């Protein structure tokens, strides 16, 4: 069996005196969608930020057998990790096209960048209609599409998606998750943080449950969908 694409071991993160992550361990294999689910404040976003290098951490982080602790945030993008952050984080005073070009800042393959731009505009046709529009004037759903597209422009091997459904209408949420599923079917490995646990589990291969900074459960997504504790605590059943 091949080594996991991402392996996280005994991850600890502190915000001052607050112990946000407490010995979190999990892995993501090539070609999987893996979800982290849990309540607000469970540590899901902090986990992604540690992987990206945005917050300092203790423990082991390995991506393609490389120790991420020795790699700067900038170079982690070059290694093949890109994140679509919680709250979208688009550059509001820049156009849609300029935002997409920023996603490719670590690349120098002009032909590949052009091809990936065309791919993003095919995935998200609304972006094609709004290339010259300032990103700050887009709707929430359009900004989420732009944030995901910008991450894809980095040509990642591992896409980190942080709360892609947050604050969006159900129809837009369904569209976003259909596209996430399509990306995975085309070979993209995805680590998904999502408060809408039901939607996340429906498109995931496996999932981990975080509670108060600790990993309390892991299983296949289907088994967790049928798990009584998960159903009562996170699925509203």
């Amino acid at each position: 069996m091949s080594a996991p694409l991402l392996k996280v071991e005994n991850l600890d993160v502190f915000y001052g005196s607050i112990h946000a992550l407490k010995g979190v361990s999990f892995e993501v294999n090539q070609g999987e969608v893996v979800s982290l689910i849990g309540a607000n404040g469970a540590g899901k976003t902090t986990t992604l930020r540690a992987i990206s290098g945005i917050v300092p951490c203790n423990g082991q982080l390995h991506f393609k057998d490389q120790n991420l602790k020795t790699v700067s945030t900038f170079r982690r993008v070059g290694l093949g990790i890109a994140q679509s952050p919680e709250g979208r984080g688009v550059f509001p005073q820049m156009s849609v096209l300029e935002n997409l070009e920023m996603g490719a800042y670590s690349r120098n393959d002009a032909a590949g960048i052009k091809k990936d731009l065309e791919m993003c505009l095919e995935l998200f046709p609304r972006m094609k209609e709004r290339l010259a529009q300032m990103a700050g004037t887009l709707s929430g759903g359009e900004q989420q599409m732009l944030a995901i597209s910008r991450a894809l422009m980095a040509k990642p091997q591992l896409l980190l998606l942080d709360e892609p459904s947050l604050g969006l209408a159900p129809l837009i949420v369904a569209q976003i998750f259909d596209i996430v599923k399509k990306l995975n079917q085309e070979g993209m490995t995805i680590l998904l943080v999502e408060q809408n646990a039901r939607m996340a589990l429906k498109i995931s291969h496996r999932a981990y449950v975080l509670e108060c900074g600790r990993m309390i459960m892991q299983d296949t997504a289907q088994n967790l969908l049928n798990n009584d504790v998960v159903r009562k605590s996170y699925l509203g059943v």
Side-chain angles (χ1 to χ4, degrees), residues 47-55 61 68 71-74 76-77 81-83 160:
T47 301
L48 293 194
R49 289 177 175 170
I51 294 166
S52 293
I54 298 170
V55 297
L61 292 170
L68 288 181
V71 181
S72 67
T73 301
F74 167 77
R76 293 185 198 192
V77 177
I81 300 173
Q83 181 169 347
L160 308 179

Side-chain angles (χ1 to χ4, degrees), residues 67-195:
N67 181 5
L68 288 181
K69 299 289 290 294
T70 66
V71 181
S72 67
T73 301
F74 167 77
R75 300 208 176 277
R76 293 185 198 192
V77 177
L79 275 182
I81 300 173
Q83 181 169 347
S84 175
E86 180 184 16
R88 293 129 204 174
V90 300
F91 301 108
Q93 302 302 319
M94 297 171 66
S95 70
V96 167
L97 179 58
E98 288 168 336
N99 270 266
L100 292 172
E101 290 171 340
M102 284 297 293
Y105 75 94
S106 64
R107 300 173 60 183
N108 55 17
D109 57 323
I113 291 171
K114 182 180 179 182
K115 182 178 179 181
D116 288 334
L117 177 59
E118 291 170 354
M119 179 268 292
C120 287
L121 298 181
E122 186 176 327
L123 274 176
F124 299 101
R126 291 193 196 186
M127 297 298 96
K128 192 170 187 178
E129 300 167 7
R130 291 161 170 74
L131 281 177
Q133 188 171 329
M134 293 297 104
T137 66
L138 298 175
S139 70
E142 290 164 348
Q143 288 190 20
Q144 186 61 69
M145 294 174 188
L146 177 56
I148 294 172
S149 296
R150 185 182 58 192
L152 292 174
M153 287 299 295
K155 203 174 182 63
Q157 294 178 51
L158 175 64
L159 177 62
L160 308 179
L161 291 180
D162 194 355
E163 301 285 7
S165 78
L166 188 65
L168 302 184
L171 184 61
I172 302 298
V173 171
Q175 292 174 359
I176 295 288
F177 274 86
D178 283 345
I179 288 168
V180 172
K181 188 174 181 179
K182 181 178 180 182
L183 287 169
N184 175 248
Q185 289 170 344
E186 293 175 354
M188 180 72 67
T189 305
I190 298 168
L191 178 58
L192 172 65
V193 158
E194 178 54 58
Q195 201 166 354

Side-chain angles (χ1 to χ4, degrees), residues 37 198 201 209 216-237:
I37 63 173
R198 186 182 301 278
L201 291 173
V209 182
I216 63 166
M217 198 180 305
Q218 61 172 299
D219 209 330
T220 66
Q222 188 59 53
N223 284 347
L224 289 174
L225 273 170
N226 297 323
N227 182 284
D228 285 343
V229 173
V230 172
R231 286 163 62 84
K232 291 175 183 176
S233 300
Y234 304 108
L235 303 183
V237 178

Side-chain angles (χ1 to χ4, degrees), residues 7-11 24 57-62 67-69:
K7 190 174 182 67
V8 176
E9 295 180 286
N10 298 316
L11 191 65
V24 167
C57 63
N58 297 319
Q60 298 297 315
L61 292 170
H62 285 89
N67 181 5
L68 288 181
K69 299 289 290 294

